[in-house]
Amino acid sequence: MSFPWVFFAPFCLIIGERCSLFLDSALAETSPPSTQLLPAETPKAEVAKPVGRKSNSTSSNAISKNKAALSQNSQNSATSPRKLTKNQLLPPLTSRPELYGQPEALGLHPLPSALLHQGPWGVFNTNSGAAAGFGTVAYYAVARWAEDWSNLRDKRNHIDAMDALKYIPFNDQGDIYLSLSGNFRHHGFYDQNAGLGATKRSPSYRSNLRFNLGADLHLTEHVRLYGELMSGEAGGINYYGYTGRWRSKIDLHQAFLEIKGRILGARTGVMIGRYKFLDAPAYFTGGSVYPSIPFSWNGVRGYAFWKRFRVDVFDLTQTNELPLKPFADTVGWRNRLFGAYTSYAVPEFRFLDKKSQIFADAFYLGFIVDDSSLAAAHGNTTGSTHRDTPGTRIWGNAGPIEFSVGGMWQGGTFKQANNGPSRGVNAWSVNAQVSWRFSRWWGKPSFGVQFDDVSGGDYRTSSTSTWGGFLSPYSPSASYLDLSTYFNMQNVISAGPLVTLTPTSNTSLQLKSPVMWRNSAYDGIYPQSTVAFPYRPHGHYTGTLPQASFNWRPTRHVSFSLEGEYVFLGRNVRHSGAAQGAYVQSNLELTF
């Protein structure tokens, strides 16, 4: 069935009535007065509270108190508002959705409160806010509805001409307001040997364009409506693989009703409708960034935040982007994601003279994939699968040590197509990253290692025996393992160094070189899809993938990245028919 348009209708009337506010704004970015940029780590008592239209009479007193408090505490704050440079007014690079698996980088530069638009999630806003379960949230967010622009009630927090679109009030109290958002993105992909040579379109260059426009209507602090339109187009030279999520006519990508309140001392909320879902480790899903249209889900999600514990429960179905017609997306009943995610924030402590924060997560992720497959000795066995995936993850930082260690077990069934036999599933995954951050060195580099061990199956066994292959059907973050997405978190052992560097406040560099094996020599090599490559090499060794990713944000509205890797395949894999080669990607984004 088509998605209910009633969720989006109010925006049409409101935008037409209020858009004239933006026309009065200056077009150039301007630096704000020093008093409006309040350090993110300033104690709450020292920060001026947002004021509505009736609070202007007290604003001068608040400014004076802030000046005094900030002066007294300038030695304890790494960034004084009076010394902020133009680059320090930029949002952090890890607002990019590809990088939300590495949240610690957001802690490198203390941010003024005017550059943070996180929700009221307390300790779960640490660094990138990824611990809150909505993806990274800083100046901008992966999911634009996760941004909170209510601090623009205080005129001192207006630092940009586009702020006139981010907070459009409709009442004197300022709790009924509209936030508009938008993004234009171009991705370019060069493949020397596309799909390890399986795609006979080499070399290939793919050009991918996408735009989205969103409107977030807050009806007091308890109710809001969000809607987002999205469209994607693609072309190139010797291009390939342009299915529904690469080329898409304009459609309603997200639209939901959210009801919020306090229950049993917790900040709670219920989301009903269509939206992105990112409350899972980056090695399980990254929301599928690279196709034009990322995943969106339909259903119900409920969450609750206490001081140091949160819980998220959900039952969702994946949006069906076909047929390729305007406003034709439907609720897809073939693929489901359901479960619960919990997180406990260990009390803060200091280790090696640095503030430390650790999170302990436990979760259950269940899913049904109607179009799944298992690698066979020749080709693939098609069918459908139901998987149950309980897991745990401990992550955060202990002084200069930044780490994430997690494990998942996976059970369930795989049913072969055309009423074929069923077989049970018994699989697992272990994922770990550990780095040491040298915060006093130039570029604040971190040096570490990454290790992943994901079980595989055995196609020599019978069609009714237990299958040992772990399944990650929802595209893990490409920056976590493989930029090219030729290798998924299935039947893989990977180990290698990981280096990050921030030469300036608006540039970053990540280097890694995973060495990869197949966990099972009798299972396939899986790209970020559920269909294995046709290659069936002997032995376990697969190859080595040196990778580099450079990111630059010249203004708060523009970001650019250049990423690349070379796939060095083992001789055994090349002898099975696969081809090694270079992969390069460029990304340009314009955001408001």
Side-chain angles (χ1 to χ4, degrees):
M1 65 178 182
S2 297
F3 196 82
W5 283 86
V6 65
F7 289 144
F8 198 69
F11 301 127
C12 300
L13 296 175
I14 294 169
I15 293 173
E17 179 183 350
R18 304 292 298 187
C19 67
S20 61
L21 291 177
F22 175 64
L23 299 178
D24 296 331
S25 300
L27 295 179
E29 293 185 3
T30 57
S31 297
S34 62
T35 53
Q36 75 183 50
L37 290 171
L38 307 177
E41 296 186 1
T42 301
K44 293 182 178 179
E46 300 168 2
V47 179
K49 297 181 179 179
V51 293
R53 294 179 178 176
K54 294 184 178 180
S55 304
N56 292 335
S57 60
T58 61
S59 61
S60 59
N61 291 334
I63 294 174
S64 299
K65 291 180 180 179
N66 271 318
K67 285 183 176 180
L70 291 171
S71 176
Q72 294 174 3
N73 290 277
S74 60
Q75 295 180 351
N76 298 326
S77 176
T79 304
S80 172
R82 297 179 180 178
K83 299 179 181 180
L84 287 172
T85 66
K86 180 179 179 181
N87 281 343
Q88 288 173 311
L89 298 179
L90 296 171
L93 285 160
T94 35
S95 293
R96 283 189 56 219
E98 291 92 332
L99 301 181
Y100 92 92
Q102 292 81 34
E104 292 300 324
L106 276 180
L108 295 177
H109 307 284
L111 296 175
S113 62
L115 296 185
L116 289 172
H117 297 287
Q118 301 173 330
W121 312 130
V123 68
F124 294 99
N125 281 333
T126 299
N127 292 331
S128 68
F134 306 124
T136 53
V137 185
Y139 193 81
Y140 296 125
V142 179
R144 303 304 302 275
W145 46 261
E147 300 165 5
D148 182 358
W149 294 87
S150 60
N151 68 345
L152 294 182
R153 295 185 201 180
D154 189 337
K155 297 298 184 181
R156 296 171 297 167
N157 283 333
H158 285 242
I159 64 175
D160 187 88
M162 304 303 287
D163 287 345
L165 294 179
K166 309 308 294 183
Y167 179 75
I168 306 173
F170 293 93
N171 66 342
D172 290 340
Q173 291 74 24
D175 58 353
I176 299 179
Y177 65 93
L178 178 69
S179 290
L180 302 178
S181 61
N183 174 265
F184 171 83
R185 186 189 74 174
H186 175 266
H187 279 189
F189 306 85
Y190 169 80
D191 298 87
Q192 186 177 1
N193 285 298
L196 305 182
T199 302
K200 306 304 179 182
R201 296 276 187 173
S202 302
S204 171
Y205 175 74
R206 292 175 293 165
S207 179
N208 175 223
L209 301 172
R210 186 190 78 189
F211 81 86
N212 57 282
L213 298 172
D216 191 2
L217 176 61
H218 292 254
L219 303 172
T220 74
E221 62 177 314
H222 300 294
V223 180
R224 71 151 164 182
L225 295 166
Y226 181 83
E228 183 174 302
L229 298 173
M230 186 173 289
S231 177
E233 192 51 76
I237 302 171
N238 283 336
Y239 59 81
Y240 64 95
Y242 285 152
T243 56
R245 294 181 54 242
W246 286 90
R247 286 175 170 166
S248 177
K249 302 296 183 182
I250 188 168
D251 216 310
L252 195 60
H253 183 252
Q254 299 184 76
F256 64 86
L257 166 70
E258 182 177 19
I259 302 174
K260 299 180 287 185
R262 283 190 174 272
I263 300 177
L264 300 177
R267 293 182 179 272
T268 62
V270 177
M271 300 169 61
I272 305 170
R274 177 178 296 171
Y275 39 82
K276 289 181 180 179
F277 182 81
L278 292 169
D279 201 0
Y283 45 79
F284 184 84
T285 181
S288 189
V289 172
Y290 289 148
S292 298
I293 309 301
F295 290 134
S296 70
W297 300 88
N298 308 268
V300 179
R301 175 182 187 177
Y303 60 83
F305 286 81
W306 286 268
K307 182 178 180 180
R308 295 200 171 274
F309 180 76
R310 74 171 182 89
V311 61
D312 187 1
V313 295
F314 45 91
D315 189 357
L316 309 169
T317 62
Q318 191 175 344
T319 301
N320 178 20
E321 290 88 9
L322 298 175
L324 298 180
K325 298 180 180 179
F327 302 110
D329 288 358
T330 59
V331 175
W333 301 105
R334 299 175 60 190
N335 299 312
R336 287 183 58 202
L337 176 63
F338 49 90
Y341 201 100
T342 67
S343 182
Y344 172 70
V346 175
E348 288 184 5
F349 62 96
R350 297 194 72 84
F351 179 66
L352 297 180
D353 200 32
K354 183 178 179 181
K355 184 173 68 174
S356 305
Q357 179 63 65
I358 295 175
F359 297 93
D361 301 352
F363 53 87
Y364 162 75
L365 300 169
F367 58 87
I368 297 173
V369 178
D370 191 54
D371 185 12
S372 184
S373 68
L374 308 179
H378 303 283
N380 292 274
T381 301
T382 61
S384 60
T385 190
H386 171 193
R387 302 290 178 103
D388 300 298
T389 312
T392 186
R393 179 189 181 206
I394 300 176
W395 64 286
N397 78 291
I401 303 171
E402 302 166 4
F403 67 94
S404 171
V405 179
M408 295 179 282
W409 175 83
Q410 193 169 82
T413 58
F414 175 86
K415 183 173 179 58
Q416 194 169 321
N418 300 319
N419 296 317
S422 295
R423 59 196 306 176
V425 174
N426 184 11
W428 46 266
S429 173
V430 176
N431 311 91
Q433 285 183 331
V434 180
S435 297
W436 190 292
R437 177 78 63 183
F438 294 88
S439 58
R440 296 184 180 181
W441 292 12
W442 175 84
K444 297 180 172 57
S446 70
F447 300 93
V449 294
Q450 179 175 320
F451 173 78
D452 300 278
D453 190 355
V454 186
S455 65
D458 189 339
Y459 48 65
R460 300 174 301 172
T461 58
S462 71
S463 59
T464 58
S465 62
T466 299
W467 181 257
F470 190 90
L471 177 60
S472 296
Y474 301 123
S475 299
S477 171
S479 68
Y480 181 82
L481 180 67
D482 171 31
L483 292 172
S484 70
T485 70
Y486 295 156
F487 298 91
N488 196 21
M489 300 301 291
Q490 296 177 233
N491 188 36
V492 64
I493 299 174
S494 172
L498 175 64
V499 178
T500 62
L501 183 71
T502 57
T504 68
S505 61
N506 65 342
T507 60
S508 71
L509 178 67
Q510 182 184 80
L511 304 171
K512 61 195 308 184
S513 185
V515 182
M516 304 178 72
W517 300 263
R518 286 182 299 155
N519 185 295
S520 169
Y522 300 100
D523 194 1
I525 299 173
Y526 292 86
Q528 283 203 359
S529 70
T530 60
V531 180
F533 284 123
Y535 315 119
R536 299 293 180 265
H538 299 289
H540 291 267
Y541 177 66
T542 302
T544 303
L545 279 66
Q547 305 170 44
S549 176
F550 173 76
N551 303 280
W552 175 43
R553 176 159 276 166
T555 79
R556 61 178 64 92
H557 301 296
V558 179
S559 64
F560 174 79
S561 68
L562 185 64
E563 303 169 303
E565 73 176 30
Y566 195 93
V567 180
F568 292 98
L569 295 176
R571 182 180 302 175
N572 57 330
V573 182
R574 297 198 306 273
H575 285 174
S576 70
Q580 62 186 20
Y583 172 87
V584 180
Q585 176 181 318
S586 64
N587 312 289
L588 174 64
E589 297 198 41
L590 310 176
T591 306
F592 74 88

